[in-house]
Amino acid sequence: MFWLAGFTVALVLTGLLFGRETRLAPFLVVLPALIAGRGTVRQTAVASVWVTLIIIASLIDSPLETAGANLVVVVFAVVFNGLSVARAAQRIHREREIARLRSAAAALQRQLLRPFPLVTDELLVHGLYEPVEEDSRVGGDIYEVVASPYGSRVFIGDVQGKGLPAIGAAFAALSAFREAAMTEPTLTGVVDLLEEAVLRHNSFAEHVGERERFVTGLVLGIDSELEVQAVNCGHVPPLLLQGEHAGPPLREEPSVPLGLDSLAPAPRTVEWFAFPMDAALLLCTDGVTEARDPSGRFYPLEERAGDWGSVPAGEVAPTLYRQLQQHTAGARSDDTAVMVLRRRSATGAH
């Protein structure tokens, strides 16, 4: 009401100031249409009634040449304003449907992923998962930690593409990892079963007319020894946080993503690196590393991570996410998954 009254008064004062006949109809009639694009049905209806009354009052004060012309203006205003109210109702209904669908998709993915923290004999894993929840932006970020007979197996991955089909591929990879981590004695054997699961999913997707997808993934094997096994399938490399230093512990080039093994020049191999008791491992998806600020600059993960070596494990992921929101000015364009791994001592302390 403040803006409606203010705009009306501004038009009247403008007419008096410039000494011309004030015709409010051409200016006010567009207001309900503008409000219909952002406001509620009630706000649009109030604006429509207000504008119609002001137009009628304007015509009474300064009528047009004929009664027919006055009637045409009033009828046009009533019809146009009525359409604006209908447009607002249609827009709100569509927005509610979109919100319901994307919330259901995000809730589905949250059901697939276990909440943090995740605990095994060797590890305490904190982290977070934040979907974007925009149209067609519910992605396929996945993670899991399994306590197996061979130590703790860790998996973080990112399915190519967005939407429910990506969640289907994510579920296939996640289910395969949970089974393979318990049964396969070698880390390369786990990765081979992940590859087969992605290929089977792609075969089914092709049969039903959907696109094939690949999955970037990082698989770790961690036991009581101070060295970690890793197989990187085209994923964002981990960062080792220790004291005031942060850097990638893997030196070899990543292998191809899961689903593309036929294109690899050589079989996937295991790389070993040290993971001391006083260090932490940071794993994330490209929703972190490819986040840009309004000027297009990437989020400087490694630079910022140098300050997190002494931060409690449970605070690293929230700190990263707050910085990410600030860096992107709240305009993230991809899902964000973060895992922070710390070793547990023999007594279970951390």
Side-chain angles (χ1 to χ4, degrees):
M1 291 301 299
F2 172 80
W3 286 107
L4 289 174
F7 191 71
T8 304
V9 170
L11 289 178
V12 173
L13 292 178
T14 300
L16 295 176
L17 180 63
F18 291 100
R20 62 176 174 80
E21 183 182 14
T22 304
R23 292 293 186 186
L24 297 177
F27 301 97
L28 287 179
V29 77
V30 300
L31 281 180
L34 295 176
I35 294 173
R38 296 296 296 271
T40 65
V41 174
R42 182 178 179 179
Q43 290 170 335
T44 308
V46 169
S48 297
V49 172
W50 173 273
V51 167
T52 301
L53 293 176
I54 293 298
I55 290 175
I56 293 174
S58 174
L59 291 174
I60 293 174
D61 180 64
S62 301
L64 299 175
E65 296 180 356
T66 65
N70 292 325
L71 181 62
V72 167
V73 171
V74 173
V75 171
F76 175 80
V78 171
V79 172
F80 190 78
N81 293 337
L83 292 175
S84 297
V85 174
R87 176 70 181 88
Q90 183 184 40
R91 191 202 87 244
I92 290 173
H93 176 74
R94 185 177 68 252
E95 288 177 351
R96 286 175 177 170
E97 286 296 307
I98 292 173
R100 182 181 62 83
L101 291 173
R102 72 189 185 203
S103 296
L108 171 62
Q109 189 165 23
R110 283 198 173 98
Q111 290 301 313
L112 299 179
L113 303 176
R114 294 192 293 149
F116 292 104
L118 306 174
V119 182
T120 67
D121 290 342
E122 295 84 12
L123 294 174
L124 174 64
V125 182
H126 290 277
L128 59 82
Y129 167 69
E130 289 291 339
V132 174
E133 292 190 4
E134 294 178 357
D135 299 349
S136 303
R137 289 287 188 175
V138 179
D141 287 9
I142 48 178
Y143 62 84
E144 184 58 285
V145 179
V146 174
S148 80
Y150 314 101
S152 300
R153 262 77 186 270
V154 181
F155 175 49
I156 186 169
D158 188 356
V159 179
Q160 175 196 20
K162 307 292 180 185
L164 291 176
I167 293 180
F171 180 71
L174 196 60
S175 299
F177 174 76
R178 287 168 175 163
E179 180 178 355
M182 294 295 296
T183 59
E184 285 296 317
T186 66
L187 208 62
T188 52
V190 173
V191 174
D192 288 342
L193 291 181
L194 283 172
E195 175 75 21
E196 293 175 8
V198 174
L199 291 177
R200 284 195 301 270
H201 177 81
N202 283 339
S203 177
F204 175 78
E206 184 181 13
H207 180 71
V208 298
E210 295 180 358
R211 57 181 290 191
E212 297 182 359
R213 299 174 186 273
F214 62 79
V215 182
T216 67
L218 176 66
V219 183
L220 304 179
I222 303 174
D223 55 23
S224 58
E225 302 296 327
L226 295 183
E227 282 196 318
V228 174
Q229 302 179 62
V231 179
N232 190 347
C233 305
H235 196 73
V236 178
L239 285 180
L240 185 67
L241 313 181
Q242 189 173 20
E244 297 180 356
H245 303 284
L250 298 179
R251 301 304 176 190
E252 299 179 5
E253 288 295 320
S255 180
V256 296
L258 299 166
L260 302 177
D261 188 51
S262 61
L263 304 178
R268 296 186 177 98
T269 57
V270 174
E271 185 175 355
W272 296 75
F273 65 90
F275 182 19
M277 292 293 298
D278 62 342
L281 270 178
L282 174 65
L283 316 182
C284 66
T285 56
D286 60 9
V288 175
T289 57
E290 295 185 3
R292 298 173 182 260
D293 65 11
S295 66
R297 186 172 62 93
F298 288 109
Y299 175 71
L301 174 62
E302 189 171 338
E303 176 186 327
R304 300 287 181 87
D307 300 329
W308 302 336
S310 58
V311 175
E315 295 299 320
V316 173
T319 299
L320 186 157
Y321 186 70
R322 286 194 298 270
Q323 293 185 3
L324 202 65
Q325 288 287 81
Q326 294 172 357
H327 182 80
T328 61
R332 293 183 304 121
S333 61
D334 201 355
D335 294 355
T336 302
V338 179
M339 303 177 74
V340 182
L341 286 58
R342 285 195 183 272
R343 286 188 178 275
R344 302 181 70 203
S345 66
T347 60
H350 51 270

